[in-house]
Amino acid sequence: DIVGKKREALSYPLKVVEIGKNEIDPVLWGKNFPFEYDGFVKTEIDYGATRYGGSKQFDRLERYPALRRLYAGNAFGVDYKEERGHHYAAIDQEKTKRVSVVQQPGACVNCHAAEAPLMIEEMGWEAFNRAPYDSLKGRAKTGSSCSDCHDPETMALRITRPAFRIAMEAAGVDLKKATRQEMRAWVCAQCHVEYYFKGEDKVLTLPWSRGRSIDSIEVHYDEYAFKDFTHKETGAPMIKIQHPEFELWGTGVHAKSGVACADCHMPYIREGSVKISDHWVRSPLDHLEQTCQTCHRLTKEELNERVISIQDRTAALLRRSELALIAAIDAIAAARAAGAGDDDLGEALRLHRAAQMRWDFISSENSTGFHSPQEAARVLAESIDLARQAELAAGKYDPGRDRGRM
Amino acid sequence: DIVGKKREALSYPLKVVEIGKNEIDPVLWGKNFPFEYDGFVKTEIDYGATRYGGSKQFDRLERYPALRRLYAGNAFGVDYKEERGHHYAAIDQEKTKRVSVVQQPGACVNCHAAEAPLMIEEMGWEAFNRAPYDSLKGRAKTGSSCSDCHDPETMALRITRPAFRIAMEAAGVDLKKATRQEMRAWVCAQCHVEYYFKGEDKVLTLPWSRGRSIDSIEVHYDEYAFKDFTHKETGAPMIKIQHPEFELWGTGVHAKSGVACADCHMPYIREGSVKISDHWVRSPLDHLEQTCQTCHRLTKEELNERVISIQDRTAALLRRSELALIAAIDAIAAARAAGAGDDDLGEALRLHRAAQMRWDFISSENSTGFHSPQEAARVLAESIDLARQAELAAGKYDPGRDRGRM
Amino acid sequence: MTTRNRSCILAAMLGVACGLAVFTFLYARGPSYLFDDPRTCTNCHVMRAEFDSWNRSSHKGGATCNACHTPHNPAGKYAVKALNGWNHSVAFTTGRFPDPITIKSLNRTVAADNCHRCHEIMVSRMLASYSRKEVDCARCHGSVGHPERN
Ligand SMILES: [Ca+2]
Ligand SMILES: [Ca+2]
C-alpha cells in the first residue's frame, strides 16, 4: 500500500542498531542498510571477464609477456594479476608474491584494510607506514568496509585515508568544502591513485606537488631524484606507476562534465519503491543499462561498442609502446655488452625511465584508456617517441670512441 | 510585429522565380530564399582566425616551417595556405602557386567551381579530368553555388560530383536510399575528402576501395603502388593527403551518434520567426552557442575549452611527429651522402612513406583533431613510431658492409 | 540632445515596448501560462521544439508543462507563471532571447522541486544524508521532459 511504502521510505534510515565511531564490521552497518549491504557483499562474486577488465583474476604477466622484461627488477615482474572486487582487497594482498619476494612496509595496508585508519590513530602515521607489512597483516583482515567511505553518524561520504587528505590540502583544497558530487569521486581517490613510499619511514605519498597529469608527476619524481627500482637489464632508475584512475579520469571529458566514479561504478538501482546506489562496485560493462543509459540514450550494444572501440585503440598503442620499450632495452643491453658504462648511456637511461613511466601510466590504469581516450593515446605517443629515442641514443655508443668527447 | 511574424512563418519560403535545371547563379536561387542567400554570401567575410583555423588566410608554410622540407618535391611545399569561406573556392585556386609551378589537370576544377557538373556533362568525365586546368579555369568562375548541394526543383540535398558517387557505389552504397541525416554529411563529402588523380586521364578518384580509415587508404595506395610525388631529399615515393574531414569525422563519436557536418557548420538559426540553416559555413568556434548548445548544455566558455584542449593535444603531437619525420629525413640523407642507394634504403624509404602519410592525414585534416580526438592521436602515435624506425633503419647503413648481405 | 530629452525618449520607447508586450501577452494567449494544457504553450511557435520533445518524452503521460515548470504552492505558482509569461512575452516581442532557448536557474530550480514532488519516495534514500540542494536531478535526467537535448 502506498501509504505504508511512503512511511517505510521516509522513516529511513531504519536505525535498528547504533554504529559506534570506530565500528568497521559491514555486517553491523548492514543491519541498518540491508539494500546497500546486499550489493556490497556481491563484490565477492566473479561476474566474469570483460574484453580487458572484469573480475576474472587472470595473470597479467602471462597475457602481456612484455611486462616481465619491462618490470625486471621490480616485484611486479614476479606477480601481477587483474584486480577484482573490493571483497578481496585484503585477501589478494596477503596472497600476492609481491609481499613475499620482498619485505613490504605497513604502508601497503593503507588501501587494503578497513582497519587502517584505526591502526594509524593508535600507532601514529610514520610508525604505521614504517612497520613491516608482515607485522601488521595479522590485524588487517577487513579488505573493505562501509567505514572506508561513510560517516557512521550521518552516512555522509567522508575521507578516511591520510595520504589523500595530505596531498589535497597541500594543493590548497579545503576538504570540508567538498560538494557531494566531488565526494562521489574523492572517496575513490583515497585508493585509486598513483603513490610512492617516501623516505626512510616509507610514508605513503601521492606525487601531486606539481599537478596530477603524468607530465607533472614526472617533474615531482625528478625533483626528488626518486626511483622505485633499478631496471635489471638497463640499470635505469625506474618509476613504477600503479592504478592512476583518478588522475587519468581527471583529464577526460566525463570529469569535465562533472561525472563522478560513483555515477558509473555505483549507479542507482531500484529496490522496490526506492532507488539506492548499487554497492556491487564493478565494471560498468556488466550493467551498461544502469551505468550509462540514463545519460546516453543509446542501446546496450551501442554503448558496449563505444567502450570497446576506445579500448581497442588504447590496447593497440599499449602493445606498440611495449615493442618500442623492448627494442630500447635490447639496444641499451647491447651497448653495455659492448662495454658502455652509465656515463656513456646517461641520455639513453633518462629516456628509458621517461618512456616507461608514460607507458605504465596507461598500462596500470585500469580502464584501458576509457577514462580519457585522447589523453591516453597522447601519453602513449610520447612513450613510443621517447623509447625509440632511447634506442637511437644507445645505438650511438661507439666502443672505439674517445671517452673525453662524450 | 507579431502578426507579421505569424504570417511570415507560414509563407516562407517564397517562390518568386523558377530555377532552371542547369541554373548555377546563386543570385537567382537567392530570390526565392533570401535568408539562406544572406548567409551564403557571408562566406566572403573574414571573421578572423581561431586558435588553429578560422578564415584568416595565413601561410601554413611559414607557421609550420617543417612543412617545407616534408613537402619537398611537391607543389604544396611552394604554396599552402589556411583555407577560408566557400566564396573563395575558385578565386584561391586560380591564385595559388600550386597551379603555376606545375601544370595541373582539369580534375582540380571538380571541387572548386559550380560549373564543374555542367562541364563534365558536356565534355565527358575522362576528357574533363584530363584537360589542362589552364584550359578550363576561364569558365570555372563560380566557386560555390546552391546547385552544388540542392536540387532546384525540390531544394532537397543532392550529390552533384561524380567522384563521390562512384566511390560510394563501388562500396555498395545506394545513394538513392540516403537518409536526410546522411545527406547532411554527404553533400560535404563531395569535396572534403582525400583524393588522387588516377592514371593517364588524371581521373579524380577517392582511395576507398578498402575502407576510409588511414590504414585502409594506405592499403589502397600500396596495391596500386601509387605515389603523388618523390621526396626530394630521401627519394621515397610519397602520398600527399588533402582535407580528409569526412574520413576522420567518420571514425569519431559524433559520427557514431549521427551528428552530421551541417549540424555543426550550418546550425539552425532564427531569422525573425523562422528557423533556417545558417549558410555562412564556417568555424563553429565563431558561433558556439548555435552549433553546440543545441546538444550540449554547456556555456560558450566551456565549449570553447573542450575544443581547444582537444586541439592543443593534437597540435603538440603534430609538432612531435614533424620532429621525428625531419630526423628520419636527415638520417636517410646522411646515408645517401655516405653512398647508400635505393636498395640499401628500401626499408627506410618504405617507413618514411608510411610515417608521413599518417602525419599528413591529421595535419591536412582541418579540425586539428576535433573531428575524432582519440583516432587523431592514435594515427600520430603510429606516424611517430614509423618515423623513428625509418631513422633507425637509415642509421643501420654501413658503407663498409658487403652489399650481398643486405 | 540634453540628458532630460534623452530620458524622455527612452521613457517613450519603453512605453511602446510595454504596450507591444502587453499586446503579445494577450494576442499570444499569454494567459495560457495560467492553464495547464501543454498545447497552450505552443501558442508561441518558439515553444514548438520543447512541445514536440515533451510529446515524445517519458513524461507525456505523467506530467504537463506546468507540472514541471511552475511551482506548486499556490502563491509561487501564479507568481512564476506571471513572471515567465511577462518575461517571455517581452522576449518574444523584442526577439531578444538566446537561441537555442536555454532554461534559467529560477526555472531549473522550479523544475527540480517538481521532480521531488512526484518522486519523493523514489529518491527518499538518496536524500537521507543530504539536502535537496545537494542533488541535481537534471544532471542525470535532464532529458526526461525533452529527450533531444543531453
Ligand atoms: Ca578487474
Ligand atoms: Ca579556415
Side-chain angles (χ1 to χ4, degrees), chain A residues 104-110 116-117 119-133 135-136 162-163 166 197-205:
Chain A
Q104 297 285 8
C108 294
V109 174
N110 273 288
M119 294 163 82
I120 292 166
E121 204 179 303
E122 294 167 15
M123 304 172 64
W125 182 228
E126 284 76 13
F128 169 81
N129 283 291
R130 180 176 59 224
Y133 168 74
S135 71
L136 304 186
I166 293 165
F197 300 146
K198 191 174 175 185
E200 283 314 298
D201 287 336
K202 303 277 172 216
V203 174
L204 176 66
T205 311

Side-chain angles (χ1 to χ4, degrees), chain A residues 309 313 320 375 385 388, chain B residues 313 320 375 385 388:
Chain A
S309 65
R313 283 200 188 107
R320 187 175 280 273
E375 173 70 357
D385 192 19
R388 291 295 179 192
Chain B
R313 283 199 187 109
R320 187 176 280 273
E375 173 71 357
D385 192 18
R388 291 294 179 192

Side-chain angles (χ1 to χ4, degrees), chain A residues 55-84:
Chain A
S55 59
K56 192 166 167 308
Q57 197 191 23
F58 62 82
D59 184 332
R60 291 198 189 192
L61 298 176
E62 263 174 27
R63 183 157 170 186
Y64 309 115
L67 272 58
R68 280 220 172 73
R69 282 189 69 192
L70 299 182
Y71 290 144
N74 183 276
F76 273 86
V78 177
D79 186 2
Y80 179 31
K81 300 201 179 59
E82 168 66 10
E83 91 287 40
R84 43 185 179 160

Side-chain angles (χ1 to χ4, degrees), chain B residues 47 53-56 60 82-85 366:
Chain B
Y47 54 86
S55 59
K56 192 166 167 310
R60 291 198 188 191
E82 167 67 9
E83 91 287 42
R84 44 184 177 161
N366 287 285

Side-chain angles (χ1 to χ4, degrees), chain A residues 134-153:
Chain A
D134 293 334
S135 71
L136 304 186
K137 70 176 183 206
R139 192 174 158 197
K141 285 293 173 208
T142 313
S144 167
S145 171
C146 322
S147 57
D148 290 334
C149 306
H150 290 285
D151 175 326
E153 293 261 310

